[in-house]
PDB file of all heavy atoms in Angstrom:
ATOM      1  N   VAL A 395     -11.771  -6.192   2.963  1.00  0.00           N
ATOM      2  CA  VAL A 395     -12.201  -5.664   4.225  1.00  0.00           C
ATOM      3  C   VAL A 395     -13.609  -6.223   4.539  1.00  0.00           C
ATOM      4  O   VAL A 395     -14.532  -6.021   3.740  1.00  0.00           O
ATOM      5  CB  VAL A 395     -12.218  -4.128   4.301  1.00  0.00           C
ATOM      6  CG1 VAL A 395     -12.713  -3.617   5.624  1.00  0.00           C
ATOM      7  CG2 VAL A 395     -10.781  -3.621   3.973  1.00  0.00           C
ATOM      8  N   PHE A 396     -13.737  -6.904   5.677  1.00  0.00           N
ATOM      9  CA  PHE A 396     -15.025  -7.414   6.116  1.00  0.00           C
ATOM     10  C   PHE A 396     -15.578  -6.456   7.235  1.00  0.00           C
ATOM     11  O   PHE A 396     -14.869  -6.181   8.189  1.00  0.00           O
ATOM     12  CB  PHE A 396     -14.908  -8.815   6.751  1.00  0.00           C
ATOM     13  CG  PHE A 396     -14.484  -9.887   5.745  1.00  0.00           C
ATOM     14  CD1 PHE A 396     -13.173 -10.035   5.358  1.00  0.00           C
ATOM     15  CD2 PHE A 396     -15.436 -10.708   5.200  1.00  0.00           C
ATOM     16  CE1 PHE A 396     -12.808 -11.030   4.504  1.00  0.00           C
ATOM     17  CE2 PHE A 396     -15.074 -11.703   4.304  1.00  0.00           C
ATOM     18  CZ  PHE A 396     -13.769 -11.879   3.911  1.00  0.00           C
ATOM     19  N   PHE A 397     -16.814  -5.983   7.052  1.00  0.00           N
ATOM     20  CA  PHE A 397     -17.440  -5.119   8.030  1.00  0.00           C
ATOM     21  C   PHE A 397     -18.357  -6.002   8.906  1.00  0.00           C
ATOM     22  O   PHE A 397     -19.309  -6.579   8.394  1.00  0.00           O
ATOM     23  CB  PHE A 397     -18.245  -4.019   7.360  1.00  0.00           C
ATOM     24  CG  PHE A 397     -17.377  -2.983   6.693  1.00  0.00           C
ATOM     25  CD1 PHE A 397     -16.911  -3.151   5.427  1.00  0.00           C
ATOM     26  CD2 PHE A 397     -17.024  -1.853   7.434  1.00  0.00           C
ATOM     27  CE1 PHE A 397     -16.108  -2.189   4.805  1.00  0.00           C
ATOM     28  CE2 PHE A 397     -16.224  -0.856   6.846  1.00  0.00           C
ATOM     29  CZ  PHE A 397     -15.773  -1.060   5.530  1.00  0.00           C
ATOM     30  N   VAL A 398     -18.023  -6.072  10.181  1.00  0.00           N
ATOM     31  CA  VAL A 398     -18.699  -6.977  11.126  1.00  0.00           C
ATOM     32  C   VAL A 398     -19.102  -6.127  12.293  1.00  0.00           C
ATOM     33  O   VAL A 398     -18.693  -4.968  12.499  1.00  0.00           O
ATOM     34  CB  VAL A 398     -17.798  -8.146  11.537  1.00  0.00           C
ATOM     35  CG1 VAL A 398     -17.420  -9.025  10.347  1.00  0.00           C
ATOM     36  CG2 VAL A 398     -16.515  -7.635  12.178  1.00  0.00           C
ATOM     37  N   ASN A 399     -19.874  -6.761  13.264  1.00  0.00           N
ATOM     38  CA  ASN A 399     -20.286  -6.014  14.428  1.00  0.00           C
ATOM     39  C   ASN A 399     -19.208  -5.940  15.478  1.00  0.00           C
ATOM     40  O   ASN A 399     -19.041  -4.960  16.187  1.00  0.00           O
ATOM     41  CB  ASN A 399     -21.596  -6.664  15.024  1.00  0.00           C
ATOM     42  CG  ASN A 399     -21.338  -8.113  15.376  1.00  0.00           C
ATOM     43  OD1 ASN A 399     -20.362  -8.747  14.917  1.00  0.00           O
ATOM     44  ND2 ASN A 399     -22.226  -8.678  16.123  1.00  0.00           N
ATOM     45  N   PRO A 401     -15.025  -7.293  15.598  1.00  0.00           N
ATOM     46  CA  PRO A 401     -13.884  -8.071  14.992  1.00  0.00           C
ATOM     47  C   PRO A 401     -13.305  -9.049  15.976  1.00  0.00           C
ATOM     48  O   PRO A 401     -12.659 -10.041  15.510  1.00  0.00           O
ATOM     49  CB  PRO A 401     -12.882  -6.968  14.615  1.00  0.00           C
ATOM     50  CG  PRO A 401     -13.638  -5.705  14.562  1.00  0.00           C
ATOM     51  CD  PRO A 401     -14.753  -5.812  15.577  1.00  0.00           C
ATOM     52  N   MET A 430      -8.933  -7.964   6.450  1.00  0.00           N
ATOM     53  CA  MET A 430      -9.127  -7.025   7.510  1.00  0.00           C
ATOM     54  C   MET A 430     -10.570  -7.079   7.970  1.00  0.00           C
ATOM     55  O   MET A 430     -11.471  -7.111   7.121  1.00  0.00           O
ATOM     56  CB  MET A 430      -8.754  -5.586   7.075  1.00  0.00           C
ATOM     57  CG  MET A 430      -7.301  -5.450   6.620  1.00  0.00           C
ATOM     58  SD  MET A 430      -6.991  -3.750   5.991  1.00  0.00           S
ATOM     59  CE  MET A 430      -7.304  -2.819   7.453  1.00  0.00           C
ATOM     60  N   PHE A 431     -10.759  -7.074   9.275  1.00  0.00           N
ATOM     61  CA  PHE A 431     -12.126  -7.116   9.855  1.00  0.00           C
ATOM     62  C   PHE A 431     -12.327  -5.757  10.593  1.00  0.00           C
ATOM     63  O   PHE A 431     -11.604  -5.485  11.578  1.00  0.00           O
ATOM     64  CB  PHE A 431     -12.246  -8.300  10.776  1.00  0.00           C
ATOM     65  CG  PHE A 431     -12.141  -9.622  10.114  1.00  0.00           C
ATOM     66  CD1 PHE A 431     -10.890 -10.239  10.052  1.00  0.00           C
ATOM     67  CD2 PHE A 431     -13.194 -10.198   9.499  1.00  0.00           C
ATOM     68  CE1 PHE A 431     -10.719 -11.460   9.385  1.00  0.00           C
ATOM     69  CE2 PHE A 431     -13.110 -11.433   8.847  1.00  0.00           C
ATOM     70  CZ  PHE A 431     -11.822 -12.069   8.786  1.00  0.00           C
ATOM     71  N   ARG A 432     -13.271  -5.042  10.133  1.00  0.00           N
ATOM     72  CA  ARG A 432     -13.503  -3.724  10.699  1.00  0.00           C
ATOM     73  C   ARG A 432     -14.907  -3.693  11.399  1.00  0.00           C
ATOM     74  O   ARG A 432     -15.870  -4.141  10.815  1.00  0.00           O
ATOM     75  CB  ARG A 432     -13.503  -2.615   9.576  1.00  0.00           C
ATOM     76  CG  ARG A 432     -13.597  -1.241  10.078  1.00  0.00           C
ATOM     77  CD  ARG A 432     -13.344  -0.287   8.942  1.00  0.00           C
ATOM     78  NE  ARG A 432     -12.010  -0.435   8.372  1.00  0.00           N
ATOM     79  CZ  ARG A 432     -11.552   0.155   7.330  1.00  0.00           C
ATOM     80  NH1 ARG A 432     -12.374   1.016   6.664  1.00  0.00           N
ATOM     81  NH2 ARG A 432     -10.347   0.003   6.854  1.00  0.00           N
ATOM     82  N   GLY A 433     -14.899  -3.225  12.647  1.00  0.00           N
ATOM     83  CA  GLY A 433     -16.110  -3.236  13.413  1.00  0.00           C
ATOM     84  C   GLY A 433     -16.933  -2.020  13.194  1.00  0.00           C
ATOM     85  O   GLY A 433     -16.452  -0.958  12.779  1.00  0.00           O
ATOM     86  N   SER A 434     -18.246  -2.136  13.532  1.00  0.00           N
ATOM     87  CA  SER A 434     -19.169  -0.985  13.380  1.00  0.00           C
ATOM     88  C   SER A 434     -19.223  -0.169  14.675  1.00  0.00           C
ATOM     89  O   SER A 434     -19.905   0.859  14.692  1.00  0.00           O
ATOM     90  CB  SER A 434     -20.561  -1.490  13.060  1.00  0.00           C
ATOM     91  OG  SER A 434     -21.039  -2.390  14.085  1.00  0.00           O
TER      92      SER A 434
END
Side-chain angles (χ1 to χ4, degrees):
V395 180
F396 294 81
F397 288 87
V398 298
N399 58 345
M430 299 176 63
F431 297 92
R432 186 172 299 175
S434 59

